[in-house]
Amino acid sequence: MKAADLAELIVLAALWGASFLFMRVAAPAFGPVALIFVRVAVASACLLPILLWRGEARGLIDNWRPLLLVGLLNSALPFCLFAWATLSLSAGFTSVLNATAPLWGALVAYLWLKTALPFSRVLGLTIGFLGVLVLVWGKVSFKPGGDGWAIGAALLATLSYGIAANYSKQKLAQISPLLVAGGSQLAACLLLLPLAIWLWPAQPVAAAAWQASVALGIACTALAYLLFFRLIAHVGPSKAIAVTFLIPLFAILWGGLFLGEVLSTPMLLGGIIILAGTSLALGLWQFGAAKTASV
């Protein structure tokens, strides 16, 4: 990977890591649904002019059905679930749960698309989900004030990402990634509009929350998507997905610097185990005979 591509990968991880910080700041003021509506509306406003400039806007009409479903499964639903989870979970903790998305993607591919899973990837899935157990051990309480529902919401969000990734691969592989990004954000915006109107906060939203929500839409969604698809074009999807491993590092860093969050031992240990399992499940590294055969 060239130095410029590596730099973009690090910037992308920093942006997506910051998304958990911004949600943690803005979600209490807006509420999860209204916040995510602002996020996807701002992202749509940034991405749609680029689609028009590139002459790809027609694709929004031609592919509206799959874009609508991807907008629901890859943005509207998981974004809202994560925003709700950040009302009680730290930015760093939530980002580590987010790192399970590739695990769900591999499991969904196996169960739904019958994609073969070699032993190394099965082992990776097992290790990754054991890491989740280590991470949440002692925290899953569904009593008032407990974190059980928030953890469940975050894991449901990552499962939604896994379903969306496999559906996109089937239905949208032949169209521009930028069209998928812009179209899915527009679809999420339209889907959330009625709920956002209904659930819009009765009290004026503080300037800091507005700033965080706009930064979430511009930097962590529109710009991040552009960087991600640029990386896919330059280095390929298998290397671009390595951003998954850097996001928790930045989320924990931003949470510690700006919110005073503390990195706990279970979070560190669970995160390491999850990322190790994810790397195996993605086939990013192998061992033994499998590694020798791949050289």
Side-chain angles (χ1 to χ4, degrees):
M1 185 181 293
K2 297 179 180 178
D5 295 326
L6 179 59
E8 288 188 3
L9 185 75
I10 293 172
V11 170
L12 177 61
L15 291 173
W16 272 340
S19 68
F20 297 96
L21 168 68
F22 291 137
M23 285 192 289
R24 185 93 167 120
V25 170
F30 276 99
V33 174
L35 170 62
I36 298 309
F37 170 75
V38 174
R39 175 181 185 174
V40 296
V42 170
S44 298
C46 294
L47 293 171
L48 290 181
I50 301 175
L51 286 173
L52 290 169
W53 174 63
R54 294 183 56 171
E56 296 185 38
R58 175 67 190 181
L60 297 173
I61 299 173
D62 295 338
N63 300 279
W64 73 268
R65 288 184 180 86
L67 287 173
L68 188 68
L69 189 54
V70 171
L72 172 65
L73 294 176
N74 200 58
S75 294
L77 178 60
F79 285 1
C80 286
L81 289 170
F82 270 122
W84 185 74
T86 57
L87 292 173
S88 54
L89 301 177
S90 71
F93 187 92
T94 312
S95 72
V96 175
L97 289 174
N98 178 70
T100 64
L103 300 177
W104 291 112
L107 186 60
V108 169
Y110 172 72
L111 295 175
W112 179 20
L113 304 180
K114 308 304 179 184
T115 302
L117 285 179
F119 173 74
S120 63
R121 297 196 177 188
V122 174
L123 180 62
L125 288 172
T126 304
I127 292 172
F129 288 118
L130 284 175
V132 174
L133 291 178
V134 172
L135 179 67
V136 306
W137 192 263
K139 294 181 69 69
V140 181
S141 171
F142 295 98
K143 296 179 181 178
D147 292 331
W149 292 114
I151 291 171
L155 291 174
L156 180 59
T158 56
L159 172 60
S160 185
Y161 283 145
I163 295 172
N166 285 281
Y167 178 81
S168 298
K169 185 177 180 180
Q170 274 198 316
K171 301 294 185 179
L172 296 172
Q174 303 305 314
I175 71 172
S176 160
L178 178 62
L179 180 59
V180 177
S184 63
Q185 295 310 295
L186 177 60
C189 180
L190 296 175
L191 287 168
L192 290 174
L193 177 59
L195 280 175
I197 293 173
W198 180 37
L199 298 173
W200 194 262
Q203 302 299 322
V205 176
W210 272 110
Q211 292 165 2
S213 66
V214 172
L216 189 61
I218 296 175
C220 303
T221 310
L223 178 58
Y225 267 123
L226 292 174
L227 280 176
F228 184 58
F229 291 130
R230 178 182 166 90
L231 276 170
I232 288 176
H234 285 185
V235 303
S238 62
K239 291 183 179 179
I241 200 64
V243 70
T244 302
F245 303 94
L246 298 175
I247 292 172
L249 301 179
F250 280 100
I252 291 168
L253 174 62
W254 302 145
L257 287 175
F258 297 106
L259 300 177
E261 295 178 355
V262 178
L263 175 61
S264 65
T265 301
M267 191 190 304
L268 177 62
L269 182 59
I272 291 172
I273 296 172
I274 288 170
L275 294 179
T278 300
S279 65
L280 270 174
L282 289 174
L284 297 182
W285 62 276
Q286 298 175 323
F287 54 89
K291 181 176 181 180
T292 302
S294 66
V295 173

